[in-house]
Amino acid sequence: MSDKYLMGVDVGTQSAKVVIFDLQGNVVSEGKKALRKMDIPAPLLAEHPDDDLWDSLKLAFQRAMAEFSQAGRKAEDIQAMGVCIIRCCRVLLKENGELAYPVINWMDKRLNKPYEYIDAYKGVRYVTTTSGYITHRLTGEFKDTCANYIGWWPMDNDTLDWSTDPAVWKSCNLTRENVLDVVKPGEILGYVSELAAKQIGVPAGIPVVATAHDKAVEALGAGSLDEGVALISLGTYIGAMVHGHANVKDAQNFWPFQASIPGRYLYECMGVRRGMWTISWFRDQFGESALADADETGVSIEELLNMEASKVPAGCEGLLTIHDWAPPSEAEFRKGVMMGFDGRHTRAHMYRSVLEGIAFTMKNHMDKMAKELNTPFKRLIISGGGANSDLFMQIFADVFGIPTSRNVMKGSASVGCAINAGMAVGAFDSYEQATQKLVRIGDSFMPDMENHRFYNELNGEVYKQVNQYFDPLLKKLSPLVVSTSLKMRQL
Protein backbone atom coordinates (compact mmCIF):
# COMPACT_ATOMS: atom_id res chain seq x y z
CA MET A 1 0.00 0.00 0.00
CA SER A 2 1.40 3.40 -0.96
CA ASP A 3 1.86 6.19 1.55
CA LYS A 4 -0.79 8.89 1.86
CA TYR A 5 -0.23 12.59 2.43
CA LEU A 6 -1.94 15.75 3.66
CA MET A 7 -1.22 19.36 2.70
CA GLY A 8 -1.18 22.33 5.02
CA VAL A 9 -1.69 25.68 3.26
CA ASP A 10 -0.73 28.62 5.48
CA VAL A 11 -0.68 32.24 4.30
CA GLY A 12 0.30 34.78 6.92
CA THR A 13 1.01 38.50 6.81
CA GLN A 14 4.58 38.03 5.65
CA SER A 15 4.70 34.75 3.69
CA ALA A 16 2.81 31.94 2.01
CA LYS A 17 3.76 28.38 2.91
CA VAL A 18 2.68 24.93 1.74
CA VAL A 19 3.78 21.87 3.75
CA ILE A 20 3.11 18.24 2.83
CA PHE A 21 2.98 15.70 5.68
CA ASP A 22 2.67 11.96 5.80
CA LEU A 23 0.07 10.51 8.17
CA GLN A 24 2.67 10.05 10.91
CA GLY A 25 3.42 13.77 10.99
CA ASN A 26 6.69 13.73 9.07
CA VAL A 27 7.32 16.71 6.80
CA VAL A 28 7.78 15.35 3.29
CA SER A 29 8.24 18.63 1.44
CA GLU A 30 7.50 22.32 1.73
CA GLY A 31 7.48 25.47 -0.34
CA LYS A 32 7.56 29.07 0.83
CA LYS A 33 7.32 32.48 -0.79
CA ALA A 34 7.62 35.84 0.97
CA LEU A 35 4.77 38.26 0.41
CA ARG A 36 5.54 41.66 -1.00
CA LYS A 37 5.85 44.71 1.19
CA MET A 38 2.49 46.07 2.30
CA ASP A 39 1.14 49.19 0.60
CA ILE A 40 0.61 51.97 3.18
CA PRO A 41 -1.30 54.65 1.22
CA ALA A 42 -1.85 56.74 4.37
CA PRO A 43 -1.29 56.42 8.14
CA LEU A 44 -3.16 53.43 9.62
CA LEU A 45 -4.05 52.04 6.18
CA ALA A 46 -2.59 48.74 4.93
CA GLU A 47 -3.27 46.87 1.68
CA HIS A 48 -1.74 43.85 -0.01
CA PRO A 49 -0.43 44.95 -3.43
CA ASP A 50 -2.05 43.63 -6.62
CA ASP A 51 -2.98 39.93 -6.24
CA ASP A 52 -0.06 39.15 -3.97
CA LEU A 53 -1.73 36.53 -1.74
CA TRP A 54 -2.60 34.29 -4.67
CA ASP A 55 0.57 34.99 -6.65
CA SER A 56 2.76 34.10 -3.66
CA LEU A 57 0.72 31.03 -2.81
CA LYS A 58 1.02 29.70 -6.36
CA LEU A 59 4.81 29.79 -6.09
CA ALA A 60 4.72 28.13 -2.66
CA PHE A 61 2.60 25.30 -4.10
CA GLN A 62 4.93 24.86 -7.06
CA ARG A 63 8.02 24.68 -4.83
CA ALA A 64 6.41 22.19 -2.43
CA MET A 65 5.29 19.98 -5.32
CA ALA A 66 8.70 20.13 -7.03
CA GLU A 67 10.39 18.88 -3.85
CA PHE A 68 7.62 16.29 -3.38
CA SER A 69 8.13 14.91 -6.91
CA GLN A 70 11.92 14.94 -6.65
CA ALA A 71 11.61 12.63 -3.65
CA GLY A 72 9.77 10.13 -5.85
CA ARG A 73 6.34 10.73 -4.30
CA LYS A 74 3.10 10.42 -6.27
CA ALA A 75 0.83 13.47 -6.41
CA GLU A 76 -2.27 11.26 -6.54
CA ASP A 77 -1.47 10.07 -3.01
CA ILE A 78 -2.24 13.52 -1.59
CA GLN A 79 -5.58 12.99 0.12
CA ALA A 80 -6.61 16.56 0.97
CA MET A 81 -5.41 20.05 1.81
CA GLY A 82 -6.42 22.28 4.71
CA VAL A 83 -6.39 26.02 4.04
CA CYS A 84 -5.57 28.69 6.63
CA ILE A 85 -5.22 32.33 5.54
CA ILE A 86 -4.66 35.59 7.47
CA ARG A 87 -7.64 36.49 9.61
CA CYS A 88 -9.38 39.82 10.20
CA CYS A 89 -8.86 41.07 6.65
CA ARG A 90 -11.54 42.26 4.23
CA VAL A 91 -11.68 41.06 0.64
CA LEU A 92 -13.94 42.62 -1.97
CA LEU A 93 -14.74 40.46 -5.00
CA LYS A 94 -16.37 41.00 -8.35
CA GLU A 95 -19.16 38.79 -9.66
CA ASN A 96 -16.58 36.48 -11.26
CA GLY A 97 -14.57 36.14 -8.04
CA GLU A 98 -11.70 38.41 -9.05
CA LEU A 99 -10.51 41.16 -6.72
CA ALA A 100 -12.50 44.36 -7.01
CA TYR A 101 -10.04 46.14 -4.72
CA PRO A 102 -6.72 45.18 -3.10
CA VAL A 103 -7.01 42.94 -0.03
CA ILE A 104 -7.39 45.17 3.04
CA ASN A 105 -5.04 43.91 5.74
CA TRP A 106 -5.99 43.50 9.40
CA MET A 107 -3.73 46.43 10.40
CA ASP A 108 -5.92 48.83 8.40
CA LYS A 109 -8.15 51.11 10.50
CA ARG A 110 -11.07 50.49 8.09
CA LEU A 111 -11.37 47.04 9.67
CA ASN A 112 -12.32 48.68 12.98
CA LYS A 113 -15.68 49.63 11.45
CA PRO A 114 -18.41 47.88 9.45
CA TYR A 115 -18.06 47.59 5.69
CA GLU A 116 -19.01 50.82 3.95
CA TYR A 117 -19.20 51.22 0.19
CA ILE A 118 -17.10 53.98 -1.38
CA ASP A 119 -16.49 54.89 -5.02
CA ALA A 120 -13.15 53.07 -5.02
CA TYR A 121 -15.03 49.79 -4.46
CA LYS A 122 -16.77 49.89 -7.82
CA GLY A 123 -17.91 46.48 -9.02
CA VAL A 124 -18.04 44.77 -5.61
CA ARG A 125 -20.36 41.76 -5.52
CA TYR A 126 -19.05 39.81 -2.53
CA VAL A 127 -17.55 40.91 0.79
CA THR A 128 -15.53 38.09 2.29
CA THR A 129 -12.38 36.99 4.09
CA THR A 130 -8.98 35.98 2.76
CA SER A 131 -9.91 32.30 3.24
CA GLY A 132 -13.08 32.77 1.21
CA TYR A 133 -11.09 34.39 -1.57
CA ILE A 134 -8.35 31.74 -1.69
CA THR A 135 -10.97 28.98 -1.52
CA HIS A 136 -12.56 30.44 -4.63
CA ARG A 137 -9.18 30.64 -6.36
CA LEU A 138 -8.52 26.98 -5.58
CA THR A 139 -11.97 25.51 -6.23
CA GLY A 140 -14.14 28.00 -8.12
CA GLU A 141 -16.68 27.73 -5.27
CA PHE A 142 -18.02 30.73 -3.39
CA LYS A 143 -17.62 29.12 0.03
CA ASP A 144 -15.70 29.80 3.21
CA THR A 145 -15.14 28.47 6.72
CA CYS A 146 -17.59 29.74 9.32
CA ALA A 147 -14.69 30.10 11.75
CA ASN A 148 -12.80 32.97 10.10
CA TYR A 149 -15.36 35.73 10.62
CA ILE A 150 -14.03 38.00 13.35
CA GLY A 151 -15.16 41.58 13.75
CA TRP A 152 -17.92 43.21 11.74
CA TRP A 153 -19.58 40.09 10.35
CA PRO A 154 -23.13 38.75 10.97
CA MET A 155 -21.84 35.35 12.10
CA ASP A 156 -23.62 33.39 14.84
CA ASN A 157 -20.89 31.70 16.86
CA ASP A 158 -23.43 29.46 18.60
CA THR A 159 -24.92 27.92 15.47
CA LEU A 160 -21.66 28.22 13.46
CA ASP A 161 -23.64 29.80 10.64
CA TRP A 162 -24.86 33.19 9.46
CA SER A 163 -27.10 35.06 11.88
CA THR A 164 -30.86 35.05 11.39
CA ASP A 165 -31.23 38.42 13.15
CA PRO A 166 -31.88 41.26 10.65
CA ALA A 167 -30.53 43.81 13.12
CA VAL A 168 -27.13 42.08 13.15
CA TRP A 169 -26.94 42.21 9.37
CA LYS A 170 -27.90 45.87 9.40
CA SER A 171 -25.21 46.69 11.95
CA CYS A 172 -22.61 45.17 9.61
CA ASN A 173 -23.94 46.96 6.48
CA LEU A 174 -24.27 43.60 4.75
CA THR A 175 -26.98 41.38 3.25
CA ARG A 176 -27.02 37.62 2.76
CA GLU A 177 -26.41 38.19 -0.97
CA ASN A 178 -23.10 39.93 -0.18
CA VAL A 179 -21.50 36.97 1.59
CA LEU A 180 -20.43 33.43 0.76
CA ASP A 181 -21.87 30.12 1.93
CA VAL A 182 -20.04 28.69 4.95
CA VAL A 183 -19.05 25.25 6.22
CA LYS A 184 -17.56 24.08 9.52
CA PRO A 185 -13.87 23.35 10.17
CA GLY A 186 -12.98 19.86 9.00
CA GLU A 187 -15.59 19.93 6.22
CA ILE A 188 -14.89 20.04 2.50
CA LEU A 189 -15.20 23.43 0.82
CA GLY A 190 -14.72 22.12 -2.71
CA TYR A 191 -12.15 20.44 -4.92
CA VAL A 192 -9.12 21.80 -6.74
CA SER A 193 -10.35 23.01 -10.13
CA GLU A 194 -8.71 22.21 -13.47
CA LEU A 195 -7.68 25.87 -13.79
CA ALA A 196 -6.09 26.01 -10.33
CA ALA A 197 -4.40 22.63 -10.84
CA LYS A 198 -2.53 23.97 -13.87
CA GLN A 199 -1.44 27.06 -11.93
CA ILE A 200 -0.27 25.40 -8.72
CA GLY A 201 0.96 22.03 -9.95
CA VAL A 202 -1.30 19.67 -7.98
CA PRO A 203 -3.87 17.22 -9.37
CA ALA A 204 -7.38 18.50 -9.95
CA GLY A 205 -9.98 17.07 -7.61
CA ILE A 206 -8.02 17.18 -4.34
CA PRO A 207 -10.45 18.10 -1.52
CA VAL A 208 -9.96 21.60 -0.11
CA VAL A 209 -10.90 21.53 3.58
CA ALA A 210 -12.08 24.31 5.87
CA THR A 211 -10.06 25.22 8.94
CA ALA A 212 -10.60 28.34 11.07
CA HIS A 213 -8.85 31.66 11.50
CA ASP A 214 -5.06 31.40 11.56
CA LYS A 215 -4.55 31.64 15.34
CA ALA A 216 -7.16 28.94 16.01
CA VAL A 217 -5.48 26.67 13.48
CA GLU A 218 -2.12 27.31 15.17
CA ALA A 219 -3.62 26.40 18.54
CA LEU A 220 -4.85 23.09 17.14
CA GLY A 221 -1.55 22.40 15.40
CA ALA A 222 0.42 23.23 18.55
CA GLY A 223 -1.47 20.65 20.58
CA SER A 224 -2.70 23.12 23.20
CA LEU A 225 -5.93 21.25 23.98
CA ASP A 226 -5.41 20.66 27.73
CA GLU A 227 -6.71 23.00 30.43
CA GLY A 228 -4.14 25.53 31.61
CA VAL A 229 -1.94 25.13 28.52
CA ALA A 230 -1.70 28.36 26.56
CA LEU A 231 -0.30 29.00 23.12
CA ILE A 232 1.59 32.17 22.30
CA SER A 233 1.71 32.58 18.54
CA LEU A 234 4.66 34.66 17.37
CA GLY A 235 3.48 36.21 14.15
CA THR A 236 3.15 39.72 12.77
CA TYR A 237 0.28 39.79 15.25
CA ILE A 238 1.32 38.02 18.44
CA GLY A 239 -1.65 36.35 20.08
CA ALA A 240 -2.24 34.17 23.13
CA MET A 241 -5.03 31.66 23.47
CA VAL A 242 -6.47 28.64 25.26
CA HIS A 243 -9.16 26.18 24.23
CA GLY A 244 -12.59 26.16 25.89
CA HIS A 245 -16.00 24.52 25.55
CA ALA A 246 -18.41 27.47 25.93
CA ASN A 247 -19.14 30.55 23.84
CA VAL A 248 -18.67 32.98 26.73
CA LYS A 249 -20.93 35.98 26.08
CA ASP A 250 -19.83 38.48 28.72
CA ALA A 251 -16.05 38.07 28.75
CA GLN A 252 -14.16 41.21 29.77
CA ASN A 253 -10.53 40.27 29.11
CA PHE A 254 -10.68 37.88 26.17
CA TRP A 255 -12.65 37.07 23.04
CA PRO A 256 -14.36 33.72 22.50
CA PHE A 257 -13.81 32.70 18.87
CA GLN A 258 -14.72 29.54 17.03
CA ALA A 259 -11.93 26.99 17.34
CA SER A 260 -10.59 24.80 14.55
CA ILE A 261 -12.53 21.95 16.16
CA PRO A 262 -16.27 22.29 15.43
CA GLY A 263 -18.22 23.09 18.60
CA ARG A 264 -15.11 24.10 20.56
CA TYR A 265 -14.05 27.67 21.27
CA LEU A 266 -10.80 29.53 21.50
CA TYR A 267 -10.31 32.18 24.17
CA GLU A 268 -7.88 34.84 23.05
CA CYS A 269 -6.71 37.90 24.95
CA MET A 270 -5.31 41.13 23.54
CA GLY A 271 -1.95 40.67 21.81
CA VAL A 272 0.83 42.68 20.17
CA ARG A 273 0.14 44.22 16.78
CA ARG A 274 3.19 44.18 14.49
CA GLY A 275 4.90 42.03 17.10
CA MET A 276 7.43 39.96 15.14
CA TRP A 277 7.39 42.64 12.46
CA THR A 278 9.01 44.92 15.05
CA ILE A 279 11.92 42.49 15.38
CA SER A 280 12.33 42.38 11.59
CA TRP A 281 12.10 46.18 11.55
CA PHE A 282 14.91 46.45 14.12
CA ARG A 283 17.07 44.02 12.16
CA ASP A 284 16.53 45.82 8.85
CA GLN A 285 16.90 49.35 10.17
CA PHE A 286 19.78 48.92 12.61
CA GLY A 287 21.46 45.71 11.54
CA GLU A 288 23.87 46.84 8.84
CA SER A 289 26.94 46.62 11.08
CA ALA A 290 25.57 43.45 12.66
CA LEU A 291 25.25 41.91 9.19
CA ALA A 292 28.94 42.49 8.55
CA ASP A 293 29.78 40.94 11.93
CA ALA A 294 27.50 37.99 11.19
CA ASP A 295 29.20 37.34 7.85
CA GLU A 296 32.60 37.46 9.53
CA THR A 297 31.60 34.92 12.21
CA GLY A 298 29.69 32.69 9.79
CA VAL A 299 26.26 32.93 11.47
CA SER A 300 22.97 34.55 10.49
CA ILE A 301 22.19 38.07 11.65
CA GLU A 302 19.39 36.68 13.81
CA GLU A 303 21.78 34.25 15.50
CA LEU A 304 24.29 37.02 16.11
CA LEU A 305 21.71 39.36 17.64
CA ASN A 306 20.46 36.57 19.90
CA MET A 307 24.00 35.68 21.00
CA GLU A 308 24.77 39.32 21.80
CA ALA A 309 21.48 39.86 23.62
CA SER A 310 21.91 36.71 25.71
CA LYS A 311 24.88 38.41 27.38
CA VAL A 312 22.73 41.39 28.44
CA PRO A 313 21.21 41.01 31.92
CA ALA A 314 17.47 40.67 32.43
CA GLY A 315 15.84 44.09 32.26
CA CYS A 316 18.44 45.41 29.78
CA GLU A 317 19.93 47.68 32.43
CA GLY A 318 16.88 49.90 32.45
CA LEU A 319 15.95 49.94 28.73
CA LEU A 320 12.26 49.24 28.06
CA THR A 321 10.33 48.89 24.78
CA ILE A 322 6.60 49.62 24.57
CA HIS A 323 5.13 47.81 21.56
CA ASP A 324 2.66 50.19 19.94
CA TRP A 325 4.20 50.40 16.46
CA ALA A 326 0.66 49.51 15.33
CA PRO A 327 -1.68 50.88 18.02
CA PRO A 328 -4.89 49.19 19.23
CA SER A 329 -8.18 50.40 17.78
CA GLU A 330 -9.27 51.93 21.08
CA ALA A 331 -6.13 54.08 21.25
CA GLU A 332 -5.05 54.90 17.71
CA PHE A 333 -2.89 57.79 18.99
CA ARG A 334 -0.33 55.47 20.59
CA LYS A 335 3.17 55.06 19.17
CA GLY A 336 6.03 52.70 19.91
CA VAL A 337 8.37 53.86 22.66
CA MET A 338 11.89 52.94 23.78
CA MET A 339 12.77 54.51 27.11
CA GLY A 340 15.64 54.46 29.60
CA PHE A 341 18.67 54.97 27.37
CA ASP A 342 22.07 55.75 28.82
CA GLY A 343 25.68 55.34 27.73
CA ARG A 344 25.82 51.61 28.55
CA HIS A 345 23.27 50.60 25.97
CA THR A 346 24.18 48.84 22.73
CA ARG A 347 22.30 47.25 19.88
CA ALA A 348 22.19 44.08 22.00
CA HIS A 349 20.33 45.95 24.76
CA MET A 350 17.87 47.35 22.22
CA TYR A 351 17.27 43.94 20.66
CA ARG A 352 16.73 42.20 23.99
CA SER A 353 14.47 45.04 25.11
CA VAL A 354 12.24 44.43 22.08
CA LEU A 355 11.95 40.76 23.07
CA GLU A 356 11.28 41.53 26.74
CA GLY A 357 8.66 44.12 25.79
CA ILE A 358 6.73 41.47 23.88
CA ALA A 359 6.88 39.05 26.82
CA PHE A 360 5.77 41.73 29.33
CA THR A 361 2.87 42.81 27.14
CA MET A 362 1.66 39.25 26.63
CA LYS A 363 1.91 38.40 30.33
CA ASN A 364 -0.13 41.41 31.34
CA HIS A 365 -2.89 40.56 28.88
CA MET A 366 -2.81 36.84 29.68
CA ASP A 367 -2.91 37.32 33.45
CA LYS A 368 -6.25 39.09 33.10
CA MET A 369 -7.64 36.27 30.96
CA ALA A 370 -6.42 33.57 33.37
CA LYS A 371 -7.97 35.36 36.34
CA GLU A 372 -11.33 35.73 34.60
CA LEU A 373 -11.31 32.06 33.55
CA ASN A 374 -10.19 31.08 37.06
CA THR A 375 -7.62 28.85 35.38
CA PRO A 376 -3.96 29.68 36.00
CA PHE A 377 -1.53 28.83 33.25
CA LYS A 378 0.67 25.84 34.01
CA ARG A 379 2.58 25.64 30.71
CA LEU A 380 3.24 27.73 27.63
CA ILE A 381 3.69 26.55 24.06
CA ILE A 382 5.40 29.03 21.74
CA SER A 383 4.88 28.78 17.98
CA GLY A 384 6.15 30.75 15.00
CA GLY A 385 9.63 31.54 13.73
CA GLY A 386 10.57 33.39 16.91
CA ALA A 387 10.38 30.10 18.80
CA ASN A 388 13.70 29.18 17.16
CA SER A 389 15.42 31.63 19.53
CA ASP A 390 16.58 29.99 22.77
CA LEU A 391 16.91 33.48 24.24
CA PHE A 392 13.31 34.41 23.44
CA MET A 393 12.06 31.09 24.81
CA GLN A 394 13.95 31.62 28.07
CA ILE A 395 12.64 35.19 28.38
CA PHE A 396 9.07 33.88 28.15
CA ALA A 397 9.79 31.19 30.76
CA ASP A 398 11.38 33.76 33.10
CA VAL A 399 8.71 36.45 32.68
CA PHE A 400 5.83 33.98 33.20
CA GLY A 401 7.60 31.76 35.72
CA ILE A 402 6.30 28.50 34.19
CA PRO A 403 7.72 25.81 31.86
CA THR A 404 7.76 26.91 28.26
CA SER A 405 8.15 24.62 25.25
CA ARG A 406 8.27 24.71 21.48
CA ASN A 407 7.29 22.01 19.04
CA VAL A 408 9.50 20.42 16.42
CA MET A 409 7.36 22.12 13.76
CA LYS A 410 7.51 25.80 14.78
CA GLY A 411 4.86 26.88 12.24
CA SER A 412 2.00 24.98 13.84
CA ALA A 413 -0.68 26.42 11.54
CA SER A 414 0.47 24.02 8.84
CA VAL A 415 0.04 21.12 11.26
CA GLY A 416 -3.45 22.34 12.20
CA CYS A 417 -4.38 22.53 8.52
CA ALA A 418 -3.24 18.94 8.01
CA ILE A 419 -5.26 17.80 11.05
CA ASN A 420 -8.45 19.39 9.69
CA ALA A 421 -7.75 17.95 6.26
CA GLY A 422 -7.19 14.48 7.68
CA MET A 423 -10.42 14.61 9.68
CA ALA A 424 -12.37 15.49 6.53
CA VAL A 425 -11.18 12.41 4.64
CA GLY A 426 -11.24 9.94 7.53
CA ALA A 427 -7.47 9.70 8.02
CA PHE A 428 -7.95 10.06 11.79
CA ASP A 429 -10.64 8.88 14.19
CA SER A 430 -10.60 12.00 16.37
CA TYR A 431 -8.91 15.35 16.80
CA GLU A 432 -7.12 13.97 19.85
CA GLN A 433 -5.71 11.06 17.83
CA ALA A 434 -4.69 13.39 15.01
CA THR A 435 -2.93 15.67 17.48
CA GLN A 436 -1.04 12.77 19.03
CA LYS A 437 0.18 11.67 15.60
CA LEU A 438 1.05 15.00 14.01
CA VAL A 439 2.15 17.25 16.89
CA ARG A 440 5.71 16.67 18.07
CA ILE A 441 6.93 18.37 21.24
CA GLY A 442 10.40 19.84 21.04
CA ASP A 443 12.60 21.66 23.57
CA SER A 444 11.41 22.81 27.00
CA PHE A 445 12.73 25.77 29.01
CA MET A 446 12.43 26.00 32.78
CA PRO A 447 12.19 29.45 34.41
CA ASP A 448 15.09 31.07 36.25
CA MET A 449 13.17 32.06 39.38
CA GLU A 450 15.60 34.84 40.30
CA ASN A 451 15.00 36.46 36.93
CA HIS A 452 11.28 35.82 37.34
CA ARG A 453 11.17 37.74 40.62
CA PHE A 454 13.08 40.63 39.08
CA TYR A 455 10.85 40.71 36.00
CA ASN A 456 7.75 40.75 38.22
CA GLU A 457 9.04 43.79 40.07
CA LEU A 458 10.08 45.60 36.87
CA ASN A 459 6.73 44.84 35.26
CA GLY A 460 4.62 45.89 38.23
CA GLU A 461 6.55 49.01 39.20
CA VAL A 462 7.33 50.36 35.73
CA TYR A 463 6.04 48.57 32.63
CA LYS A 464 2.38 48.46 33.66
CA GLN A 465 2.48 52.17 34.52
CA VAL A 466 3.87 53.50 31.23
CA ASN A 467 0.66 54.19 29.28
CA GLN A 468 -0.87 56.48 31.89
CA TYR A 469 2.13 58.80 31.54
CA PHE A 470 2.76 58.59 27.80
CA ASP A 471 -0.86 58.64 26.58
CA PRO A 472 -1.45 62.39 27.21
CA LEU A 473 1.69 63.29 25.24
CA LEU A 474 0.99 60.86 22.40
CA LYS A 475 -2.56 62.23 22.06
CA LYS A 476 -0.99 65.61 21.32
CA LEU A 477 1.62 64.11 19.00
CA SER A 478 -0.76 62.05 16.84
CA PRO A 479 -2.62 64.92 15.06
CA LEU A 480 0.70 66.64 14.35
CA VAL A 481 1.99 63.48 12.63
CA VAL A 482 -1.18 63.16 10.53
CA SER A 483 -1.00 66.83 9.53
CA THR A 484 2.62 66.49 8.45
CA SER A 485 1.86 63.35 6.40
CA LEU A 486 -0.95 65.12 4.56
CA LYS A 487 1.30 68.05 3.70
CA MET A 488 4.02 65.74 2.40
CA ARG A 489 1.58 63.89 0.10
CA GLN A 490 0.44 67.22 -1.36
CA LEU A 491 3.99 68.20 -2.36
Side-chain angles (χ1 to χ4, degrees):
M1 181 179 176
S2 62
D3 291 331
K4 299 297 181 182
Y5 307 97
L6 300 167
M7 302 183 87
V9 180
D10 173 22
V11 182
T13 303
Q14 299 188 61
S15 66
K17 182 166 63 174
V18 174
V19 183
I20 305 179
F21 301 87
D22 65 23
L23 298 188
Q24 287 70 49
N26 299 304
V27 175
V28 175
S29 69
E30 58 184 305
K32 188 174 182 179
K33 176 66 173 70
L35 269 62
R36 292 162 56 188
K37 185 178 179 181
M38 203 88 64
D39 284 340
I40 311 292
L44 301 181
L45 301 185
E47 300 171 357
H48 290 275
D50 302 321
D51 201 0
D52 189 38
L53 297 186
W54 177 239
D55 291 341
S56 299
L57 185 56
K58 285 190 293 186
L59 285 172
F61 266 114
Q62 292 165 10
R63 292 170 180 174
M65 289 305 298
E67 185 177 316
F68 184 79
S69 299
Q70 288 168 7
R73 315 281 181 167
K74 297 179 180 179
E76 56 266 29
D77 289 329
I78 299 173
Q79 292 188 296
M81 67 172 71
V83 177
C84 166
I85 319 292
I86 329 165
R87 66 177 177 174
C88 297
C89 299
R90 186 176 290 157
V91 184
L92 309 176
L93 301 181
K94 300 177 184 177
E95 181 79 30
N96 64 1
E98 294 179 356
L99 289 176
Y101 188 83
V103 174
I104 303 173
N105 182 264
W106 58 267
M107 290 183 279
D108 194 299
K109 67 178 182 180
R110 286 171 287 186
L111 275 297
N112 298 332
K113 300 177 181 179
Y115 168 71
E116 184 176 3
Y117 179 82
I118 59 175
D119 290 342
Y121 299 163
K122 184 177 181 181
V124 172
R125 170 65 175 82
Y126 298 104
V127 182
T128 186
T129 69
T130 48
S131 54
Y133 171 55
I134 295 300
T135 293
H136 176 73
R137 280 292 202 176
L138 288 169
T139 68
E141 301 281 354
F142 289 96
K143 290 184 179 180
D144 196 3
T145 172
C146 64
N148 193 26
Y149 285 85
I150 297 172
W152 292 97
W153 299 100
M155 177 58 60
D156 187 328
N157 288 328
D158 288 317
T159 64
L160 312 186
D161 203 346
W162 293 118
S163 173
T164 58
D165 185 346
V168 174
W169 287 90
K170 185 176 181 181
S171 70
C172 297
N173 288 335
L174 293 169
T175 67
R176 182 63 182 84
E177 290 71 32
N178 295 139
V179 299
L180 310 186
D181 294 334
V182 293
V183 305
K184 298 178 180 62
E187 295 183 357
I188 294 174
L189 290 156
Y191 301 85
V192 174
S193 68
E194 294 285 351
L195 175 61
K198 293 176 182 177
Q199 294 177 312
I200 66 178
V202 306
I206 291 178
V208 177
V209 179
T211 64
H213 61 86
D214 50 1
K215 299 302 182 186
V217 182
E218 283 190 64
L220 173 62
S224 60
L225 300 181
D226 294 338
E227 185 175 83
V229 177
L231 170 70
I232 295 180
S233 167
L234 299 177
T236 303
Y237 179 83
I238 297 176
M241 58 219 76
V242 294
H243 277 97
H245 293 273
N247 183 20
V248 181
K249 300 296 178 66
D250 56 352
Q252 300 298 308
N253 297 294
F254 63 90
W255 297 279
F257 298 135
Q258 294 182 40
S260 211
I261 302 174
R264 293 281 295 272
Y265 294 89
L266 196 75
Y267 305 145
E268 180 176 352
C269 64
M270 183 72 75
V272 182
R273 295 161 67 91
R274 291 202 174 186
M276 295 306 290
W277 176 95
T278 310
I279 296 173
S280 300
W281 165 85
F282 177 84
R283 177 200 64 203
D284 295 342
Q285 297 299 321
F286 304 106
E288 185 173 351
S289 62
L291 183 59
D293 292 342
D295 288 340
E296 186 175 324
T297 55
V299 299
S300 70
I301 186 172
E302 290 84 3
E303 289 174 307
L304 177 68
L305 290 171
N306 278 292
M307 286 190 296
E308 292 180 342
S310 66
K311 299 174 183 177
V312 173
C316 301
E317 298 181 296
L319 188 64
L320 295 177
T321 297
I322 314 302
H323 281 268
D324 281 317
W325 268 252
S329 59
E330 70 275 10
E332 291 184 351
F333 57 83
R334 285 184 182 159
K335 303 290 182 183
V337 173
M338 279 189 172
M339 60 174 285
F341 282 103
D342 63 40
R344 296 170 295 175
H345 293 127
T346 65
R347 71 187 180 204
H349 289 79
M350 294 176 69
Y351 181 75
R352 182 175 180 126
S353 176
V354 170
L355 301 182
E356 290 183 343
I358 289 171
F360 280 137
T361 304
M362 295 311 300
K363 185 175 192 307
N364 293 336
H365 291 316
M366 292 172 68
D367 280 352
K368 295 176 183 177
M369 176 168 66
K371 183 177 180 180
E372 186 170 353
L373 290 171
N374 196 29
T375 306
F377 298 120
K378 60 185 181 183
R379 184 166 69 91
L380 296 180
I381 303 173
I382 311 295
S383 72
N388 289 315
S389 166
D390 288 358
L391 171 63
F392 208 3
M393 294 294 296
Q394 191 62 53
I395 287 172
F396 275 115
D398 292 352
V399 167
F400 281 79
I402 56 178
T404 300
S405 64
R406 59 191 176 200
N407 292 335
V408 173
M409 186 75 178
K410 308 303 188 301
S412 61
S414 299
V415 180
C417 287
I419 290 173
N420 277 134
M423 290 298 295
V425 296
F428 309 113
D429 295 331
S430 67
Y431 279 96
E432 287 73 18
Q433 183 200 49
T435 299
Q436 289 173 1
K437 284 193 171 187
L438 268 63
V439 177
R440 297 186 174 183
I441 299 173
D443 305 305
S444 292
F445 296 78
M446 299 303 294
D448 179 321
M449 297 311 294
E450 184 176 344
N451 281 348
H452 175 60
R453 286 187 287 271
F454 172 71
Y455 277 138
N456 266 348
E457 184 176 4
L458 180 61
N459 187 27
E461 296 297 322
V462 181
Y463 203 88
K464 287 182 179 180
Q465 314 301 323
V466 167
N467 283 339
Q468 64 176 311
Y469 295 105
F470 275 102
D471 278 0
L473 293 174
L474 292 174
K475 284 179 181 178
K476 295 178 180 179
L477 176 64
S478 184
L480 298 176
V481 173
V482 173
S483 176
T484 302
S485 297
L486 290 172
K487 289 178 182 178
M488 292 298 293
R489 289 202 305 274
Q490 293 170 356
L491 294 178

